[in-house]
Amino acid sequence: QKWSTELRYQPYHEWPTDYLEKLKQTTNDSTWRLAFHIQPVTGLLNDPNGFSYFNGKWHVFYQSYPLGPVHGIKSWYHLTSENLVDWQDEGLAILPDGPYDSHGVYSGSALAVGDRLFLAYTGNVRDQDWQRHSFQLGAWLDNKNQIQKLSEPLIVNSPKGYTQEIRDPQIFIFNQQYYLIIGAQNEQEEGKILTYKSSDLVNWQCIGEMTFSDDLLGFMVECPNLIFIDNQAVLLFCPQGLDQKQLSYQNIYPNTYVVADGFDGETNTLNNPSSLKNLDEGFDVYATQAFNAPDGRALTISWIGLPEVGYPTDEEGWAHCLSLVKELTLKDGNLLQRPVKELEKLRLDHHSFNGTLSSVQKIYSPQENRYELQLDLDAAAQGTLTLFADDDTNLGLTLSFDTQNGTMTMNRENAGTPFAKEFGTSRTFKIPQRGLSLQIFVDHSVVEVFINQGEKVASARVFPKKGQTAILLEGTTGIFSGEYWTLRPMK
Ligand code: FRU
């Protein structure tokens, strides 16, 4: 399939029905399909949208192009859940069929208001000269999951001094007012976050750029999210083209965050903000969406995939997935990200192990790459854990740790089918110089590693060949103990 612009923007209903059926077939035949992660039925998934709790259920939407593994004309695809683990497919929810979103229903957020869920998103329109026009749009979801778009935009275009690169509104309530923050670009092509206020969700007034850093935020900010934890504020966002001097990263675009002492809604300022930090130390996390859930938790879900990067499943007609749902907490001002407790529901059979690090030993050889692994190492540990390992060569995805020097490296150079090599095949990051605890979720072609109860997270897509499932451990010093669970697929 050659993906011309024309083809990518062809309305879904103009595609022959047998095309979609065939695509479903190829997708289902893929050995890299996932068991307990949200993945597209066919085609491409990108950002999570509208992550919320409403009408007794969790809701998440995602950016969808169902007709192929490319960024074609986008819609919102809807899923609901009672437990954040098992997700029910609710189908395509917002289609690019209106005058303000004819060329894409882009990312946005949701807020429960009364007995309805308010959805705020970006409508993308291309004019005859293929120039972009951006509108911030609203829609209501009722308790029967029916969606009604508002007939008029919430915000037309961008304020003076900003380009049409303005998208991904997050709405939230702060000091009894509605706030909307959004990724933007000024005419000097610098990334910014703009803030709007409203008392009725319909009339929005821009109060300017949110101030939280003297640093330039690259050429464009995507997907900003402001959440509150214990009276502190955490801002998550994706500064495209961020200068490496400000923060070192290797992914094409970083997903970053700052922690602040609070948000001043009048001056539009984060108080005493930290420096920018990487949200994930691995290869593929982007466009994370966060919200303050009514049960008091701050929850996130991310796109595991990156813009402008090819993945091996492109050959099979589908691309990308969402991360597991994580809970954010703060400890001494540091952000912790942990898989939500509900994920324990996935656990099936269990066994434990322990030993002394030595030359390569096989910890386990699962039938399938579908498990949770807990591994604890003592403060002197130095070694390598290999996942997705090949029985003949012992090669796979490696996690090398050195607790004495306080470093960890994730390397996927020799793991399964290579891809995205131009962005480097390893990621090295700091870990504390003490005992190490790893909680690892492996699901066919994705791995999420939680280090020391969520002090760091490292996620990666990995595309193993048939039979590459072994778990190996080797090292020079230290003792280890751990637990292993087979995980069931989501229902
Ligand atoms: C981020 C992003 C958003 C945009 C959406 C379009 O990955 O580019 O800024 O709304 O994807 O699918």
Side-chain angles (χ1 to χ4, degrees):
Q1 183 75 275
K2 215 182 153 312
W3 288 99
S4 63
T5 304
E6 205 184 347
L7 207 54
R8 285 191 290 121
Y9 282 84
Q10 179 172 300
Y12 304 160
H13 66 261
E14 285 177 18
W15 287 79
T17 39
D18 64 330
Y19 171 84
L20 199 60
E21 271 152 33
K22 274 194 208 126
L23 188 62
K24 208 175 254 169
Q25 194 59 55
T26 359
T27 306
N28 289 342
D29 288 347
S30 168
T31 56
W32 292 317
R33 292 296 279 171
L34 305 162
F36 56 91
H37 283 78
I38 294 172
Q39 61 190 338
V41 181
T42 55
L44 181 138
L45 163 159
N46 58 302
D47 313 358
N49 297 151
F51 188 24
S52 53
Y53 186 82
F54 164 68
N55 194 27
K57 281 189 177 162
W58 302 99
H59 293 252
V60 75
F61 302 78
Y62 63 76
Q63 284 285 285
S64 162
Y65 178 65
L67 293 149
V70 294
H71 289 269
I73 186 167
K74 297 286 169 67
S75 295
W76 278 30
Y77 200 99
H78 188 196
L79 299 134
T80 55
S81 173
E82 280 170 12
N83 60 10
L84 292 170
V85 172
D86 299 301
W87 290 93
Q88 190 179 332
D89 183 336
E90 306 283 354
L92 281 169
I94 314 184
L95 287 158
D97 56 6
Y100 301 109
D101 59 19
S102 56
H103 292 72
V105 173
Y106 278 9
S107 288
S109 58
L111 183 70
V113 180
D115 59 358
R116 292 182 298 175
L117 186 69
F118 189 70
L119 310 175
Y121 67 97
T122 301
N124 194 44
V125 174
R126 298 283 189 167
D127 64 20
Q128 277 170 346
D129 304 321
W130 208 248
Q131 294 298 310
R132 186 196 294 271
H133 299 271
S134 293
F135 300 92
Q136 310 318 317
L137 306 175
W140 288 103
L141 177 101
D142 67 19
N143 56 19
K144 299 200 168 59
N145 284 341
Q146 295 302 306
I147 291 178
Q148 186 86 49
K149 288 183 184 178
L150 300 190
S151 58
E152 290 306 316
L154 309 175
I155 300 166
V156 177
N157 290 325
S158 45
K160 207 170 165 295
Y162 296 84
T163 71
Q164 285 301 314
E165 304 290 337
I166 176 166
R167 56 180 170 267
D168 314 336
Q170 183 215 8
I171 36 169
F172 57 94
I173 296 174
F174 185 79
N175 280 348
Q176 283 121 47
Q177 278 220 304
Y178 295 114
Y179 277 76
L180 179 156
I181 64 168
I182 190 161
Q185 179 187 63
N186 69 14
E187 282 173 351
Q188 290 72 49
E189 297 197 0
E190 296 166 341
K192 298 289 175 190
I193 296 174
L194 291 173
T195 307
Y196 289 73
K197 261 172 152 173
S198 172
S199 53
D200 58 7
L201 285 173
V202 176
N203 298 293
W204 290 92
Q205 201 201 348
C206 185
I207 61 164
E209 291 174 9
M210 187 188 291
T211 39
F212 61 94
S213 168
D214 298 333
D215 291 339
L216 289 177
L217 305 176
F219 61 83
M220 171 67 190
V221 171
E222 295 188 316
C223 305
N225 284 258
L226 182 62
I227 51 158
F228 299 93
I229 306 174
D230 311 331
N231 294 322
Q232 288 193 275
V234 181
L235 178 70
L236 301 91
F237 58 104
C238 300
Q240 294 187 301
L242 182 76
D243 193 327
Q244 293 284 345
K245 285 193 215 97
Q246 284 165 231
L247 175 73
S248 142
Y249 62 94
Q250 278 177 275
N251 297 350
I252 183 167
Y253 304 126
N255 195 164
T256 59
Y257 71 93
V258 301
V259 178
D261 285 344
F263 172 60
D264 184 331
E266 292 310 309
T267 59
N268 196 14
T269 306
L270 290 183
N271 301 324
N272 191 23
S274 70
S275 60
L276 263 62
K277 297 187 178 132
N278 285 312
L279 192 61
D280 191 282
E281 304 292 345
F283 294 87
D284 304 281
V285 159
Y286 197 69
T288 299
Q289 188 161 75
F291 88 109
N292 286 106
D295 64 11
R297 289 184 292 182
L299 300 177
T300 62
I301 188 164
S302 308
W303 176 25
I304 304 191
L306 288 168
E308 298 160 46
V309 177
Y311 285 74
T313 60
D314 295 352
E315 305 295 320
E316 303 180 329
W318 68 286
H320 313 309
C321 63
L322 297 185
S323 70
L324 299 173
V325 177
K326 300 167 203 174
E327 180 182 358
L328 302 190
T329 53
L330 287 170
K331 193 178 150 207
D332 309 324
N334 295 316
L335 189 69
L336 300 183
Q337 307 178 60
R338 265 182 281 221
V340 287
K341 180 113 179 65
E342 286 91 328
L343 285 159
E344 290 176 8
K345 289 184 199 302
L346 292 174
R347 290 176 180 172
L348 298 172
D349 56 287
H350 164 258
H351 71 258
S352 16
F353 54 85
N354 59 64
T356 307
L357 291 174
S358 63
S359 58
V360 181
Q361 48 191 309
K362 193 183 285 184
I363 291 202
Y364 199 60
S365 206
Q367 291 277 319
E368 243 184 89
N369 282 311
R370 174 159 57 84
Y371 59 86
E372 180 183 341
L373 181 70
Q374 172 70 43
L375 181 63
D376 294 294
L377 295 133
D378 71 12
Q382 226 170 17
T384 299
L385 172 71
T386 308
L387 307 171
F388 303 96
D390 189 293
D391 270 327
D392 296 331
T393 62
N394 281 355
L395 296 176
L397 175 96
T398 56
L399 272 172
S400 303
F401 47 84
D402 180 340
T403 56
Q404 289 176 39
N405 284 316
T407 58
M408 178 165 250
T409 299
M410 184 184 250
N411 188 328
R412 67 177 177 189
E413 183 173 10
N414 297 309
T417 303
F419 70 104
K421 283 189 147 173
E422 61 275 34
F423 300 101
T425 52
S426 72
R427 300 286 185 267
T428 296
F429 49 94
K430 288 206 176 91
I431 53 169
Q433 289 164 296
R434 51 178 159 82
L436 179 64
S437 152
L438 303 176
Q439 185 184 9
I440 302 175
F441 291 84
V442 168
D443 186 3
H444 292 117
S445 60
V446 66
V447 54
E448 293 172 83
V449 181
F450 295 86
I451 299 149
N452 293 339
Q453 283 74 45
E455 285 178 352
K456 295 269 163 86
V457 186
S459 310
R461 290 307 298 273
V462 179
F463 299 93
K465 305 207 169 94
K466 208 166 175 275
Q468 295 180 327
T469 58
I471 304 170
L472 311 176
L473 187 62
E474 66 178 298
T476 47
T477 27
I479 54 164
F480 64 89
S481 62
E483 288 180 274
Y484 172 98
W485 292 268
T486 307
L487 300 183
R488 68 161 172 81
M490 73 158 82
K491 288 191 261 204

